[in-house]
């Protein structure tokens, strides 16, 4: 089993402290890589650079997310070079969410993530990951065109796929089968977002086209509110990872939300090698 951790760039001192603690506590699990997200339109550029530097300074193989929406090609390329100068050798190449429903990419920009991948591949020799949506990207015309768009990204030179989180394992199994039928051979890293707050996850999922199965909602509703919800979040994510492992998936990308207990709990439950170093809070 291989796993990676995703963090987001914090704002403010409380956010910085939370990120520092999460990274410190997850570091001993020795992930394959850690990634730092990037605000679409460059909204968190500085924070992302600082956040990626934080991961690099701790000796983690670091992937920088990079979006191209609302930016010129030269701006995006310049940002990529800044990350590389810091020691990044892996990008998660993304379009980013459209800033408005009638958004049109700038004439000197990259319209889609596939264009960004092609642009980076002209000179970048490191790893390129791209996003995939087992439940279909909300803007896609159909599941088929979405899959075709993914194939274009891969054909443009992407090395691996990271999925949007998807709580319905049957959907994931079906998605992997469809990839196989399309002849996709690149590694598939399954995005796992253990649930810390069911209401917050439902709200966020509604925006990004992911669903939260009713069976999961009911388990949270039935949970004794005086108990620690973390345990239930761990249990549900563990059950999913275990089922996926039984079905041949062995790479997981944890959306940590800059918190360590859920991800640590799932890895412990899965029997991943125990942390090599003593954790210090
Ligand atoms: P694309 O692959 O370009 O696809 C966007 C839409 O266009 C899809 O509907 C696709 O089907 C369609 N499409 C693609 N190519 C074509 C084409 N040639 N012709 C017609 N239609 C096409 N967002 C951030 O802002 N920052 C992050 O750090 C970030 N990290 C993410 C990490 C992961 C693992 C995932 C799954 C998502 C992440 N996102 C992030 C969200 C992502 O930016 C949005 O989902 C965005 O709306 C789509 O990005 P994409 O790279 O998948 O776009």
């Amino acid at each position: 089993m291989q796993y990676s951790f995703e963090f987001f760039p914090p704002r403010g001192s409380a956010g910085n402290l939370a990120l520092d603690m999460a990274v410190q506590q997850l570091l001993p699990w020795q992930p394959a890589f850690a990634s730092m997200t990037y605000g679409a339109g460059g909204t968190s550029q500085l924070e992302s650079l600082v956040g990626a530097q934080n991961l690099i300074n701790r000796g983690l193989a670091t992937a920088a997310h990079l979006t191209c929406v609302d930016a010129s090609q030269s701006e995006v390329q310049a940002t990529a070079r800044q990350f590389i100068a810091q020691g990044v050798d892996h990008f998660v190449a993304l379009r980013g969410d459209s800033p408005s429903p009638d958004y049109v990419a700038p004439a000197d920009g990259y319209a889609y993530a596939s264009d960004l991948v092609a642009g980076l591949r002209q000179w970048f020799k490191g790893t390129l990951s791209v996003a995939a949506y087992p439940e279909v990207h909300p803007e896609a015309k159909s599941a088929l065109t979405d899959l075709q768009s993914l194939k274009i990204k891969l054909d443009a030179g992407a090395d691996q796929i990271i999925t949007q989180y998807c709580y319905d394992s049957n959907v994931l199994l079906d998605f992997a089968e469809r990839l196989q039928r399309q002849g996709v051979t690149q590694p598939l890293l399954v995005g796992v977002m253990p649930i810390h707050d069911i209401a917050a996850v439902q709200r966020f999922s509604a925006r990004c086209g992911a669903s939260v199965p009713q069976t999961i909602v009911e388990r949270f509703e039935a949970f004794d509110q005086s108990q620690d919800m973390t345990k239930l979040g761990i249990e549900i994510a563990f059950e999913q990872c275990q089922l996926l492992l039984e079905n041949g998936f062995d790479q997981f990308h944890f959306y940590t939300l800059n918190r360590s207990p859920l991800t640590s709990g799932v890895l412990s439950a899965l029997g991943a090698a125990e942390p090599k170093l003593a954790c210090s809070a």
Side-chain angles (χ1 to χ4, degrees), residues 255-280:
Y255 295 97
T256 70
L257 301 181
N258 295 1
R259 299 158 198 261
S260 64
L262 286 137
T263 301
S264 283
V266 178
L267 289 174
S268 286
L270 287 169
E274 286 298 318
K276 300 274 187 299
L277 311 165
C279 293
S280 51

Side-chain angles (χ1 to χ4, degrees), residues 72-93:
S72 69
Q73 294 188 8
S74 56
E75 283 166 345
V76 178
Q77 297 269 352
T79 305
R81 288 184 193 281
Q82 274 182 283
F83 277 118
I84 290 167
Q86 287 186 323
V88 163
D89 66 351
H90 178 172
F91 289 107
V92 182

